[in-house]
């Protein structure tokens, strides 16, 4: 890449904005898949202790979500300043969390409180990351009083966390055997036994043809490509040259990307609940 002309880097930077946005959407889908899988796994055990565990985890997550939202009021709504935008973001997060529980518990919806609580915590976290990305000279960013610049250790720790998160998301999406896999890929649960009854003769196994993997190589590398675009956008401030180059993932572009990600997460989760009611003729897995 060091030997390519600048125009190639410029074009890649423009494409990376859309690729990074698509990767954030993939992360949201992974989270939704994880929460529903977790809930279904505990419900299928059909034991009272697992139902109690579901309720306890859901209550803890909801308490954490609302407590965290309350802390955000302290951090990003300093007294003496008009911080209506920050208040709007935080209040919307609390309203979304409350709405998730109401919709999930509605008798007409086949929902559960555990996914609603986990999505609420995630939305609160995304709201925090968005608000913390506000410029350090913005009066409503209460964190700028304590850290006007990112120290080397904080920068290294933040980038390490980002890299680990990106790698996990890429691996989880690329190797998924659920709805993230391409239609042509074999699905989990449809695999056949390694040996059929007529495949064993006198204790010797017949040689069988190699079975295909449960994911597409091209799909796997596409997810990694999107992950690299997302990392590039974090390092370059979402391709914005107007923000400070001394800070990573700081600026109004990062703020709105995070907040929009939160709202998209909320919309997708609500859609997973109401889609069977709106489209009763379709099957949802």
């Amino acid at each position: 890449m060091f030997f390519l002309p600048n125009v190639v880097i410029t074009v890649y930077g423009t494409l990376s904005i859309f690729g990074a946005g698509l990767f954030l959407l993939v992360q949201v889908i992974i989270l939704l898949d994880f929460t529903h899988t977790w809930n279904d796994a505990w419900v299928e055990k059909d034991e009272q202790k697992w139902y109690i565990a579901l309720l306890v985890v859901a209550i803890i997550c909801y308490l954490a979500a609302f407590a965290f939202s309350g802390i955000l009021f302290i951090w990003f709504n300093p007294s003496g300043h008009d911080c209506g935008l920050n208040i709007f973001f935080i209040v919307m997060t609390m309203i979304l969390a409350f709405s998730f529980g109401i919709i999930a518990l509605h008798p007409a919806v086949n929902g559960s409180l555990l996914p609603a609580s986990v999505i609420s915590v995630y939305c609160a976290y995304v709201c925090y990351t968005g608000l913390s990305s506000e410029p350090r000279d913005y009066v409503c960013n209460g964190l700028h009083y304590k850290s006007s610049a990112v120290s080397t250790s904080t920068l290294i720790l933040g980038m390490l966390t980002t890299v680990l998160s990106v790698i996990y998301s890429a691996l989880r999406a690329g190797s998924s055997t659920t709805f993230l896999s391409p239609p042509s890929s074999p699905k989990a649960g449809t695999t056949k036994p390694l040996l059929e009854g007529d495949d064993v003769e006198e204790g010797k196994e017949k040689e069988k043809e190699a079975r295909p993997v449960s994911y597409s190589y091209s799909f796997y590398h596409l997810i990694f490509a999107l992950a690299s675009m997302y990392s590039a956008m974090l390092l370059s401030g979402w391709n914005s040259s107007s923000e400070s180059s001394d800070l990573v993932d700081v600026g109004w572009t990062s703020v709105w990307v995070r907040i929009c990600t939160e709202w998209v997460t909320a919309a997708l989760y609500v859609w997973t609940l109401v889609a069977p009611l709106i489209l009763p003729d379709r099957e949802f897995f």
Side-chain angles (χ1 to χ4, degrees):
M1 298 297 291
F2 288 102
F3 301 98
L4 294 179
N6 290 336
V7 63
V8 176
I9 306 300
T10 303
V11 172
Y12 177 77
T14 303
L15 294 177
S16 293
I17 297 178
F18 301 97
L22 183 58
F23 181 74
L24 287 175
L25 179 61
V26 171
Q27 282 187 317
V28 171
I29 296 176
I30 291 174
L31 178 65
L32 293 174
D33 180 36
F34 169 75
T35 55
H36 287 294
T37 302
W38 180 10
N39 182 79
D40 293 341
W42 283 14
V43 170
E44 287 177 358
K45 295 181 183 297
D46 197 18
E47 297 181 11
Q48 184 177 5
K49 63 179 182 180
W50 292 107
Y51 292 129
I52 295 176
L54 282 172
L55 180 61
V56 170
V57 173
I59 292 176
I60 292 175
C61 288
Y62 259 118
L63 291 176
F66 284 106
F68 193 35
S69 299
I71 295 175
L72 295 182
F73 273 108
I74 301 175
W75 287 349
F76 299 100
N77 184 32
S79 59
H81 300 285
D82 183 13
C83 302
L85 183 62
N86 286 1
I87 294 176
F88 170 73
F89 290 155
I90 300 171
V91 171
M92 277 296 299
T93 301
M94 300 179 70
I95 292 176
L96 288 175
F98 184 76
S99 301
F100 293 157
I102 297 298
I103 297 175
L105 295 178
H106 194 278
V109 176
N110 186 22
S112 178
L113 201 58
L114 177 63
S117 63
V118 174
I119 298 298
S120 298
V121 171
Y122 177 75
C123 287
Y125 168 74
V126 174
C127 181
Y128 161 72
T129 58
L131 295 176
S132 63
S133 295
E134 292 176 339
R136 291 295 183 260
D137 56 353
Y138 183 51
V139 294
C140 292
N141 185 353
L143 297 181
H144 79 281
Y145 293 112
K146 299 180 180 180
S147 58
S148 58
V150 178
S151 63
T152 303
S153 59
T154 303
L155 177 60
I156 294 175
L157 180 61
M159 285 306 304
L160 179 61
T161 304
T162 300
V163 169
L164 291 177
S165 174
V166 167
I167 291 176
Y168 170 79
S169 300
L171 289 174
R172 179 67 177 88
S175 60
S176 177
T177 55
T178 55
F179 60 88
L180 282 172
S181 298
S184 59
S185 299
K187 301 296 182 181
T190 62
T191 56
K192 297 181 180 181
L194 290 177
L195 296 177
E196 299 290 349
D198 56 353
D199 287 337
V200 180
E201 294 181 1
E202 298 179 357
K204 295 183 179 180
E205 302 175 0
K206 288 185 177 181
E207 294 184 359
K208 297 175 67 67
E209 295 182 358
R211 295 169 57 196
V213 295
S214 59
Y215 60 89
S216 169
Y217 284 113
S218 58
F219 183 75
Y220 175 83
H221 289 290
L222 173 62
I223 295 300
F224 258 109
L226 297 179
S228 66
M229 291 181 178
Y230 175 69
S231 300
M233 290 298 97
L234 290 182
L235 292 171
S236 63
W238 292 87
N239 209 20
S240 176
S241 59
S242 60
E243 308 292 349
S244 174
S245 60
D246 298 331
L247 303 175
V248 175
D249 199 23
V250 171
W252 286 110
T253 304
S254 298
V255 172
W256 283 105
V257 168
R258 301 294 186 184
I259 296 301
C260 290
T261 299
E262 176 191 352
W263 293 344
V264 170
T265 301
L268 287 177
Y269 174 66
V270 172
W271 173 252
T272 62
L273 297 177
V274 302
L277 300 178
I278 299 177
L279 304 172
D281 297 334
R282 296 188 58 182
E283 294 183 358
F284 295 90
F285 298 94

